[in-house]
Amino acid sequence: MGLADASGPRDTQALLSATQAMDLRRRDYHMERPLLNQEHLEELGRWGSAPRTHQWRTWLQCSRARAYALLLQHLPVLVWLPRYPVRDWLLGDLLSGLSVAIMQLPQGLAYALLAGLPPVFGLYSSFYPVFIYFLFGTSRHISVATPGPLPLLTAPGRPTGGAGPDPLR
């Protein structure tokens, strides 16, 4: 006598009672709908737009204030530049920018030479990240630069100054 034989009658009885209950529910279910022809369907379709359509329409609606808010959200420079205290901060910002450029430009050149690229690509990699962060960045206290003086130390030690042919010859 196995396990299936011992629990068989109880399981069968539970299954039959569940099936009978479903049959009773099916008998009580009643659905009624009118017959529609093409004219009735077109008339029902003219009732108006669904409320969610109105909600989407207001979300996607463009106005001058909404476009201006979106522009300010994606270009933070337009928020802080009009309030920039020129007399207080300009000299300090120019000196710090000059000192960063003195270090950043040779590092970018060295990275380009290490990669075997023309040095102008190092200048691009020094200028464009800072310029893009100026437009889209949100923090005043961030440093966007090539990481560390490693290229300055390694580039002169390589025989060709980079991975490719010597760009200095």
Side-chain angles (χ1 to χ4, degrees):
M1 186 160 155
L3 185 61
D5 295 336
S7 63
R10 277 185 272 149
D11 287 342
T12 307
Q13 188 177 17
L15 184 61
L16 282 177
S17 61
T19 307
Q20 289 170 352
M22 286 175 52
D23 285 340
L24 286 176
R25 279 190 221 129
R26 252 189 244 141
R27 285 186 214 144
D28 293 337
Y29 185 75
H30 178 72
M31 184 174 73
E32 191 174 308
R33 50 177 107 129
L35 290 175
L36 300 175
N37 59 19
Q38 186 65 32
E39 292 174 20
H40 288 104
L41 282 174
E42 289 176 3
E43 183 180 323
L44 288 173
R46 288 191 197 111
W47 280 358
S49 62
R52 295 192 81 169
T53 306
H54 179 67
Q55 184 179 16
W56 278 102
R57 209 176 282 160
T58 57
W59 283 348
L60 299 176
Q61 184 176 354
C62 188
S63 67
R64 184 182 183 103
R66 200 172 175 123
Y68 184 69
L70 189 65
L71 186 69
L72 292 180
Q73 180 183 0
H74 291 290
L75 288 174
V77 69
L78 298 176
V79 175
W80 63 261
L81 193 59
R83 297 181 298 181
Y84 182 77
V86 176
R87 291 181 186 217
D88 298 334
W89 290 0
L90 186 63
L91 182 63
D93 285 346
L94 285 176
L95 290 175
S96 65
L98 184 63
S99 64
V100 167
I102 288 172
M103 281 303 295
Q104 181 65 27
L105 292 177
Q107 284 180 2
L109 292 172
Y111 262 132
L113 292 175
L114 279 174
L117 298 171
V120 72
F121 287 105
L123 296 175
Y124 294 152
S125 70
S126 298
F127 175 72
Y128 284 112
V130 177
F131 180 70
I132 289 172
Y133 192 80
F134 168 77
L135 292 176
F136 299 110
T138 57
S139 174
R140 295 183 331 186
H141 309 288
I142 193 164
S143 173
V144 180
T146 50
L150 180 67
L152 292 175
L153 297 173
T154 10
R158 301 204 48 174
T160 61
D166 190 3
L168 299 177
R169 287 190 208 165

